């Protein structure tokens, strides 16, 4: 049965350490000592959907400053997933943006140069699952805003969004 | 076959007068004299999806300043469609917001009072079609930004978004 899910935000603030521990590291003690709840939340579900990637991850994001989502993307890159990121140049320069860290880690990033915003907020996992909605990937939005994120295993939508990604990727080619 | 469509923006700037003429008015001359193209565009398709409403329209919108979309919503209200609008208080106060005009026309509007943004951008037509994406309903976004809007006839998604609408609608009840 193809996946068809929606996450609403604000997300409960939960501990996501167990999800973000690098594979190969020995698993920590069964009980994490931190004081946050260790249940599922909209953020943990979003992280799980991303961390399921095995081959490729396309990100097309207006704003990306969430440390947890940044760590998830770096983990995938370390695991050999081909990660490509498109972002908006105005937001990229802001304090707290994850984009500089992703680039430093060797992840390919392209951004616009024009006046309009690159306002998409979508991800494509393994060319099979589309993740899209109103949520910018910032802690402010995750914890405080009313937002939605659809997670859809839908070949027709994936195809259309992948085409949009490739169009923008080529257009933002700096060379 | 249930509808499953995506509109990408920026939209070509096209004439939408034919779509927005009030019903009952005699149809204009077959050729509109204005200088804009009269073909379909992402904006005209979005207007069509909204103007299909016969019974109800729920709008949950961070920003709403597009005059064409404002006219479409007023038309629906005049036709007896039950329109309800949830919006964000910060954006509502800005110059060019359509919210004041909608209220003056007698349309029910509720807004948040809290610090987080009401950042959704969705509409539900006749409790049957969900329209959701990254697009704020502003001319700037429609004409200049890279955006997406999904139009889905999907009972499961409509139910979940309608529940979210009703939750927020009750929470923002001023009385
Ligand atoms: Zn913990
Ligand atoms: Zn015209």
């Amino acid at each position: 049965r193809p996946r068809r899910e929606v996450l609403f935000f604000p997300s409960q603030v939960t501990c996501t350490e167990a999800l973000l521990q690098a594979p190969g590291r020995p698993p920590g003690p069964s009980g994490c000592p931190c004081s946050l709840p260790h249940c599922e939340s909209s953020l943990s579900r979003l992280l799980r959907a991303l961390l399921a990637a095995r081959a490729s991850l396309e990100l097309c994001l207006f704003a990306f400053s969430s440390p947890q989502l940044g760590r998830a993307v770096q983990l995938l890159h370390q695991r050999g997933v081909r990660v490509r990121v498109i972002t908006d140049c105005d937001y990229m320069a802001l304090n707290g943006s994850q984009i500089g860290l992703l680039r430093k880690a060797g992840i390919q990033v392209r951004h616009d140069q024009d006046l309009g915003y690159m306002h998409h907020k979508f991800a494509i996992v393994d060319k099979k699952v589309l993740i899209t909605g109103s949520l910018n990937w910032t802690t402010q939005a995750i914890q405080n805003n009313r937002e939605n994120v659809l997670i859809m295993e839908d070949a027709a939508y994936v195809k259309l969004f992948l085409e949009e990604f490739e169009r923008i990727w080529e257009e933002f080619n700096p060379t």
Side-chain angles (χ1 to χ4, degrees), chain A:
Chain A
R1 194 172 82 107
R3 188 169 182 186
R4 187 163 298 284
E5 193 180 338
V6 58
L7 308 176
F8 288 112
F9 293 78
S11 173
Q12 189 187 357
V13 180
T14 59
C15 174
T16 54
E17 283 307 307
L19 275 171
L20 290 170
Q21 274 172 21
R25 237 211 249 174
S30 64
C32 168
C34 88
S35 64
L36 291 173
H38 292 81
C39 51
E40 290 288 342
S41 64
S42 290
L43 175 58
S44 74
R45 286 179 213 279
L46 176 57
L47 286 167
R48 271 182 209 286
L50 294 166
L51 289 167
R54 290 296 169 263
S56 64
L57 178 67
E58 282 81 28
L59 299 178
C60 199
L61 294 169
F62 173 60
F64 189 171
S65 62
S66 157
Q68 286 100 327
L69 287 164
R71 279 173 65 193
V73 172
Q74 292 212 35
L75 258 179
L76 292 170
H77 174 66
Q78 286 161 22
R79 287 182 196 165
V81 171
R82 185 194 181 200
V83 179
R84 291 184 292 167
V85 181
I86 292 171
T87 192
D88 187 83
C89 66
D90 296 301
Y91 194 88
M92 195 175 65
L94 290 193
N95 223 354
S97 170
Q98 288 286 316
I99 298 296
L101 296 173
L102 298 182
R103 278 200 162 138
K104 227 178 271 178
I107 294 171
Q108 291 178 281
V109 178
R110 294 185 182 176
H111 60 83
D112 65 316
Q113 297 285 6
D114 42 44
L115 286 175
Y117 289 122
M118 204 311 295
H119 201 245
H120 287 304
K121 309 105 172 40
F122 70 82
I124 303 169
V125 175
D126 288 344
K127 310 211 186 316
K128 217 175 64 185
V129 178
L130 173 65
I131 300 174
T132 189
S134 66
L135 183 80
N136 290 312
W137 286 19
T138 71
T139 299
Q140 148 69 22
I142 292 165
Q143 294 187 358
N144 299 313
N145 289 1
R146 289 170 196 270
E147 307 271 7
N148 64 77
V149 173
L150 306 176
I151 304 179
M152 294 189 282
E153 205 175 316
D154 183 301
Y157 272 137
V158 164
K159 180 173 183 294
L160 293 165
F161 277 79
L162 203 51
E163 286 166 0
E164 172 77 351
F165 185 93
E166 298 293 358
R167 258 195 308 273
I168 302 177
W169 186 253
E170 283 317 311
E171 191 178 328
F172 290 0
N173 189 338
T175 64

